[in-house]
Amino acid sequence: MNHDIAGRVFPGLDENLLAVIANRMKKLEQSLENAEIKIRPDAEIQKDLVKVLLFSEYIASGLAKNPEIFKELVESGDLFKSYSHVSYSARIRKKTIHLEDTASIKKILLHIKLYESIRIAWRDLTGKARLEETLCDLSNLADAVIDAALQSLYDDLGKIYGLPVDADGNFYRLTVLGMGKLGAHELNFSSDLDLIFVYPEQGYTNTENFISNEEFFIKLCRRFLKFFTPGMGEINFYRIDTRLRPYGEGGPLVMSAAGFEAYYQAQGREWERYAMIKARPVAGDIEAGKTLLKILNSFVYRRYFDYGSFD
């Protein structure tokens, strides 16, 4: 790659910063050489590469450790594409459709998260994406990863205990509500994922080795949290925060829809009213989540104001 391009992209740049670019460029080139990857980026990508190597240690480190990602980004044209809200789910489905074990799916999701995070950051830093697109992309990526992980864990647990059903044999799924920045499609690169878990109704799983729906979904949520706990040497995944749930950190990890509604209507506090404005179903049973939030409209948007509301 052209080493003189840095001076043309940033004329008059401090020598120390030029050295930073040169050092990071050298590490990337060495990594490409070690992996026997040959690639010829066009002039625009070379200019953009200089920018992102200066602006982002995260991108510089990520590409140096994973040179195949740089090759794919360049050859796929993904750096010049705007994604729709379903793009991430489709890409994840394509790469995991034939996988059944959760460990393999986690490995794929970690790679996709790194690849897409670098792509989103690159487009942001080079001015190819507006802020709104960047935040929305990060949120949609998180939605897709959460949903894929949840489905894999749900299937695994179902093999052991059967699946939760109602009296008519209809399958129940978990609803995951995104709160805060995720719920508002405002996620940034360092945000926690604020999540609340809700299941439809009480009942039992459909097998001889049955357990209650509540027990099934508690096990599912615990496995979900463990899934996102980073192991030794793993790429950073998402930090999950469930403290916005009813009763906070001391409350149940997951609640039935009836118990969830009853809590907010009887005990919901002012800050929870405001927090629910940003709530959005992000994974699992989306339609059930929409119905649940619609029921809570009377709590979130009060019909009458009192002096406490104005205060």
Side-chain angles (χ1 to χ4, degrees):
M1 283 177 272
N2 189 343
H3 285 251
D4 297 329
I5 196 171
R8 296 200 299 272
V9 174
F10 295 111
L13 188 66
D14 181 85
E15 288 295 328
N16 291 327
L17 295 179
L18 286 173
V20 169
I21 297 173
N23 183 51
R24 292 176 177 177
M25 184 77 76
K26 184 178 180 181
K27 287 182 179 179
L28 174 58
E29 289 177 335
Q30 186 64 57
S31 182
L32 290 167
E33 184 179 334
N34 292 341
E36 298 183 347
I37 295 175
K38 295 182 179 181
I39 186 170
R40 288 175 174 265
D42 62 26
E44 182 175 3
I45 288 181
Q46 287 197 50
K47 289 180 181 178
D48 288 346
L49 178 61
V50 168
K51 294 177 184 177
V52 299
L53 290 181
L54 174 62
F55 296 152
S56 175
E57 183 179 0
Y58 172 77
I59 293 180
S61 175
L63 293 181
K65 293 176 181 177
N66 304 272
E68 73 283 354
I69 287 181
F70 183 56
K71 176 180 172 66
E72 186 177 351
L73 284 169
V74 173
E75 295 182 348
S76 66
D78 285 344
L79 295 172
F80 301 95
K81 296 176 184 175
S82 292
Y83 286 2
S84 73
H85 70 285
V86 297
S87 296
Y88 297 103
S89 296
R91 285 169 174 252
I92 288 174
R93 197 177 305 114
K94 183 179 179 180
K95 293 192 175 185
T96 60
I97 191 169
H98 298 300
L99 299 176
E100 293 186 0
D101 64 297
T102 301
S104 296
I105 291 175
K106 180 175 182 178
K107 185 176 180 180
I108 293 294
L109 292 179
L110 280 165
H111 181 80
I112 289 175
K113 198 253 182 177
L114 176 62
Y115 178 91
E116 297 298 348
S117 296
I118 290 175
R119 171 196 162 271
I120 294 168
W122 182 301
R123 286 177 53 77
D124 177 47
L125 292 171
T126 58
K128 289 180 171 55
R130 294 169 58 86
L131 175 63
E132 293 87 346
E133 180 181 334
T134 297
L135 300 181
C136 205
D137 273 355
L138 288 168
S139 301
N140 289 336
L141 172 60
D143 289 359
V145 170
I146 292 168
D147 194 61
L150 187 68
Q151 186 61 52
S152 174
L153 295 167
Y154 179 87
D155 292 342
D156 274 358
L157 210 54
K159 295 172 185 175
I160 303 172
Y161 300 105
L163 296 174
V165 293
D166 62 14
D168 298 321
N170 298 311
F171 294 113
Y172 282 146
R173 295 174 63 207
L174 188 71
T175 292
V176 182
L177 297 178
M179 308 293 288
K181 293 183 178 67
L182 177 61
H185 273 116
E186 298 170 346
L187 204 68
N188 62 48
F189 289 96
S190 60
S191 297
D192 292 353
L193 302 186
D194 293 305
L195 304 178
I196 295 178
F197 305 115
V198 186
Y199 68 92
E201 293 182 18
Q202 301 287 355
Y204 296 91
T205 57
N206 62 346
T207 184
E208 292 183 1
N209 188 29
F210 68 87
I211 57 175
S212 69
N213 288 351
E214 180 181 24
E215 187 177 354
F216 179 93
F217 286 114
I218 288 174
K219 290 179 181 294
L220 177 59
C221 291
R222 286 176 176 167
R223 290 190 179 201
F224 179 86
L225 295 180
K226 185 178 180 180
F227 184 94
F228 286 95
T229 301
M232 291 295 292
E234 278 189 342
I235 302 167
N236 285 335
F237 223 157
Y238 292 109
R239 296 185 304 273
I240 308 296
D241 191 336
T242 62
R243 291 175 295 177
L244 292 182
R245 66 186 187 269
Y247 303 105
E249 200 167 6
L253 184 57
V254 58
M255 294 181 71
S256 68
F260 189 76
E261 178 189 354
Y263 168 81
Y264 285 104
Q265 299 294 4
Q267 302 184 51
R269 292 162 287 181
E270 291 299 319
W271 71 265
E272 290 176 305
R273 190 189 312 278
Y274 309 140
M276 273 293 161
I277 292 174
K278 289 187 175 184
R280 176 176 64 89
V282 299
D285 194 332
I286 300 295
E287 291 306 314
K290 290 178 179 178
T291 300
L292 184 63
L293 292 179
K294 189 173 183 179
I295 292 171
L296 290 183
N297 269 351
S298 59
F299 164 70
V300 179
Y301 304 103
R302 299 177 62 180
R303 181 172 295 181
Y304 304 106
F305 289 110
D306 56 23
Y307 288 109
S309 303
F310 288 112
D311 188 48

